[in-house]
Amino acid sequence: MVRNLTAIMALFIAISVPTLGLIGCDRSQTEPSPKPESEAAPEEQAKDEAKPDFSIEYEQFQLNNGLNVVFHIDRSDPVVAVSLTAHVGSAREVEGRTGFAHLFEHLLFLESENLGKGGLDAMSARIGGSGANGSTSRDVTNYYQTVPKDALEKMLWAEADKLGWFINTVTDPVLAKEKQVVKNEKRQGVDNRPYGHTQYVIDSNLYPEGHPYSWQVIGSLEDVGNATLDDVKTFFRRWYVPNNVTLVVSGDFDPEQARKLVHKYFDEIPKGEPVERAAKQPVTLKETKRLYYEDNFARQPQLTMAWPTVPRYDADSYPLAVLANYLSVGKRAPLYRVLVEEEQLTPGVSMYAYESELAGQMQLKTQAFAGGALDPIYAGIEKSFALFEKEGISEEDLERIKAGQEVAFYNSLSSVVGKAFQLAQYQIYANDPGYVGQDIARLLAVTAEDVVRVYEKYIKGKPYIATSFVPRGEKDLALAGSVAAQVVEEEVVAGAEAQFDASGSAEYEKTPSTFDRSKEPEYGEPAEPVVPDVWRGKLGNGIEVLGIENSEVPTVRFSLVMDGGQLQESIDKTGVAHLTSILMGRGTKNRTPEELETAIQKLGAGIGIYSGQDTFRFDVTTLARNFNEVFALLQEMLLEPRWDEKELVLAKKGVISQIKQAEGEPNAIAGKNFARLLHGKDNIRGYSGLGTEESVNAITMDDLKAYYNNYLSPSVARAHVVGDIQQADFMATAEQLAKQWPAKAVDVPNPKSEPAEPGIYFIDVPGSKQSVLRIGRMAMPVVSEDYYPAVFTNYILGGGGFASRLTQLLREGKGYTYGISSSISGNKHEGQFTIGSGVRANVTGESVQLINDVLKEFGPTYTEEDLQTSKSFLIRSNARAFETAGAKLGVLESMSEFGWPADFVREREAVAKAMTIPKVQKIAETYMLPDSMIWVVVGDEATQLQRLEDLKLFNVKLLKKEELARLHSPPQD
């Protein structure tokens, strides 16, 4: 569970095993003995394991109070990441008091004695940080942020305040409000989405009663609601102690100075009671259990199977990871070959490990097409396993999987926070920040015999848990022999939630300190953003190339972007561009789909082809040493598509499955209808890029070939490359493509948007636990002089996360939502201002009223403090603008699309510095007034529609089925 919906969960996926959270450890022991401060090297690696070619340099020491500290120096950018990880997750809870670890993830951001209420979020905004964020798993809770390097002391001061000067600030009103936020998170992520209760049903049946993994990380709504202030304080004092915490500092800093600061701020925090590592608690199933659940939001049956396996870092976890990948990923996978290609029962299948500190499990997930029963799919799974038993895994397949793991590892270390996170996980779970060497070595040592052995030990013929989540009223589609799963459904009642006022200050005796902690530290040496050198080139066919050389990790990222995308489609046959992108990745003239996929994977590369609303693009990630070979494959895919009819059938089935599933997902419903109302029926931008079931069924291979021949051309293309490759080498390789791909003229349409009348448009999803809100209007294009001033203005309104008014009022003040944000976005021709949120169903009317009030009052109440906060964040955050390869690539793409110079961040700094309160108010009056907007509300008509009408804010229109059908039918000639 993460605090912020925009958190990048890829950071939390360990290199060796796909996971569902922050998990892993295999050393069961009491807390480690303190290490001398001079100690920096990891334990000696096992002699019989291969030495890795890559490691993370670090320095480690431990304070007298038990706090583990790890430093990693990375001077590639003027930024530093600070990560504080507590070895406490939901596994430290007890039945009846679940959800506490996750609740604390929320509470620790709110206030501490010396930062004050909202102090951490306010400070993050001032210093230009990435935003204070956190995550909770079964085993750990992690807090992290990346900031300009001159703010390191501020971050250490703030993190120490969490540990030593926090708990007195938690009051009953504060607790009551945060309970509502957590409940909203559960409604949004579990209760109000298709298949949301799947993991609960699996874990509560896979693990015996009382096992710490038998409940979910987020806990039950009842347990969270029953939590008392004494419960919360007791939990904190037991687990949030220095001897149960690891602090990692990663980035551009002086380690000697940082060591002194760590001592200054953390030394006097008292050590807690000894924290012993919990003993492993693996489970075995005596018999198979099959369960079903009629899902209000599902439109297609979903089958999930789970087998008990091993804890994280167990020797068998490595071959299990390879097994899961081989069985389910790609054309050669037995599950794909049988279920998707041969029997065409499902659009796809996945198999993955969920391995935690005390135990682990393997899960398999797949969906039937609408109306399809799950029994034939189960038979197909059995057939796939039999195929594996017959064939085993080849050395070629083993090596391609390992190559993919190598690239994934390098990519996980592209940011300082990624490195900080990895070091913390290794320290907590393996008691060794340098465990990366053993981790990679053990993965690379996996043999084909190992893979077969773990299949036979944990999967073949073993009891399992199977869940059938089927659309409501279609339980006959469930696996034979399934019994009803026990799921607690929340009843949404108006006025049922307790009222509270969390704005007051707590009265308490301050925790003593040896020095005055109430004063925020000063900045260190200034952190000036380093604008990387951008080289420019031009290929023989006219394609402009922009590049940045960077050797931080031995990889290359490349993008080829062509203007057009969905804009080139006709409204009566949407989905052509998307299907074209799929088919161009399914084989070439001289390679079958399987052969192409295998060739890419053996090189440890990824080549993605995507169609967006206004672009068609190729994205490449590869090891630098394999760039030429990977580029040759890209060239083959671009110039010689296979146009395989069998693959078109499979692709259309998969797309239609996506379309059907979206019909029951409230967020998808809101997004689809908001786009149509915003752009109008005559504008292709108002239509889903997937198409409709009818349009996809009507698309032929000739349609795809026509799109390819007419609209993909160097004349509308631009190329970008970042990584460990020199300009001359890239241009020499790319010129081979240019010689064979001549340019032709292509006209890119620019349809005009015609928004619907402002007002509230309500769409009924019976039984919704939340109401989904999409609010907005057309605005300025990115090239407009108003664009960046609007981005600036929006920061305090809703773009600044926890520094924004919308979040502070609806989440922090009222507890109505888990998250709300507003944004300014656009292209060269037009833009839009949008607000999005999911709110508790029984405060839908109150939320709409409050958003309306915030928008109306925003300009007139904008303050000098708001102005300075926005300036500080938007200027100082430029230190992070070029940190990762992905960020650098994004900068290059913006430069090529909008004609910006390489140092356009400097120009934006000048705009930010010149902003004034009157300028902000002018932007707000022009683009952000509520009565100029379309308000889409997706929720339960029976309980919420009348309450919206009673507000008498705007005209309220219920979009019934027939009106929705008219809204989404193509315009008639």
Side-chain angles (χ1 to χ4, degrees), residues 350-409:
S350 61
M351 196 169 183
Y352 47 93
Y354 185 3
E355 291 165 355
S356 304
E357 181 178 6
L358 310 182
Q361 62 214 67
M362 181 73 78
Q363 295 189 185
L364 184 157
K365 180 174 67 177
T366 188
Q367 291 176 14
F369 294 112
L374 293 176
D375 280 328
I377 287 184
Y378 175 76
I381 293 170
E382 292 285 277
K383 183 178 178 181
S384 303
F385 286 171
L387 187 62
F388 172 71
E389 291 167 21
K390 178 182 178 182
E391 297 178 346
I393 180 173
S394 68
E395 287 298 323
E396 181 183 40
D397 288 318
L398 194 59
E399 292 309 310
R400 69 176 172 82
I401 291 171
K402 292 178 182 179
Q405 293 287 358
E406 182 182 2
V407 175
F409 170 62

Side-chain angles (χ1 to χ4, degrees), residues 207-221:
Y207 296 98
E209 185 176 353
H211 192 288
Y213 294 165
S214 64
W215 53 82
Q216 298 302 286
V217 172
I218 202 166
S220 74
L221 292 182

